[in-house]
Amino acid sequence: MKAEYVDHMGNDLTVVNAARVSFDKHATEFRDKDERLVYYLARNGHFTPFTHAMVTLRETVPIFVARQRFKHTVGFSYNEVSRRYVSDDPEFFMPSEWRLAAAEVKQGSSTNTLDEDSIVPYDVARHVEKSVKLYRQMLSQGVCAEQARMVLPQSMYTSYYVTGSLSAWSRAYTLRAEKTAQREIQDLADSWARIIEPLFPVSWAALTHDEE
């Protein structure tokens, strides 16, 4: 799972000034009292000041992760690579280990993995290879890219720009970094934090429930 920094707007002071504009106040320097205000806003659910700070990333993930990712719509905007227009050979995600299903839950996985001598990785690799071969054949025979893409597996990587408010990013992170979330999207969420935290250190800590 990969997330790359593209752009951002604002900083911790943006949040403070958005909150204090109701008193017609504006600060040019972030001070200790401003940090206390940021924590107060986050702790009491005053989310609108955090919507004025924005972050844009480019994420590259397999389709089955992207479809989970795109469930986060409020506060986000997406533009994705389209295989209606792109017909080069795709790349595919292959996990380093295959987790077993968890017996006590309807979704998710356990900490147990397939035996090393399992033929599953081999079969999956063969399936992907055959799918790509069929995809190439369809294109070579004149089938349009927007239909030929239907044979490609969900393990295919896709890439997209995603722009969201700081409030939206923290909400998505809280849900997807949680220990019961799918492991692959947990990894993606961790990469969000590594990028966003240095940009908004006080606000990110407050929104992700670190103690002041």
Side-chain angles (χ1 to χ4, degrees), residues 1 3 7 9 17 53 63 95 108 120 126 133 136 156 175 187 196 203 210:
M1 310 306 118
D7 202 359
M9 181 181 74
N17 284 329
I63 287 177
V120 166
R126 187 172 58 175
K133 182 178 180 180
R136 292 173 184 159
M156 180 183 69
L175 291 171
D187 293 341
I196 298 173
S203 298
D210 286 357

Side-chain angles (χ1 to χ4, degrees), residues 10 26 37 43 58 60 76 81 84 96 99 101 109 121 137 140 144 158 162 166 184 190 196 204 208:
H26 180 83
L37 174 60
R43 186 168 54 247
R58 180 164 184 163
T60 302
F76 285 107
V81 170
R84 293 185 66 195
S96 58
R99 301 185 299 276
S109 56
Q137 289 175 342
S140 68
C144 60
T158 186
V162 51
L166 188 58
E184 287 78 11
D190 287 343
I196 298 173
W204 188 255
T208 55

Side-chain angles (χ1 to χ4, degrees), residues 143-190:
V143 176
C144 60
E146 65 184 19
Q147 285 187 313
R149 61 181 173 170
M150 66 185 286
V151 303
L152 295 171
Q154 287 195 32
S155 58
M156 180 183 69
Y157 278 105
T158 186
S159 185
Y160 49 87
Y161 266 38
V162 51
T163 299
S165 69
L166 188 58
S167 176
W169 281 107
S170 66
R171 185 170 59 250
Y173 172 80
T174 299
L175 291 171
R176 297 305 184 176
E178 207 274 330
K179 63 181 181 180
T180 60
Q182 184 168 337
R183 183 84 53 79
E184 287 78 11
I185 207 165
Q186 286 186 51
D187 293 341
L188 180 62
D190 287 343

Side-chain angles (χ1 to χ4, degrees), residues 39 43 205 209-212:
Y39 273 88
R43 186 168 54 247
H209 308 298
D210 286 357
E211 294 296 329
E212 183 179 12

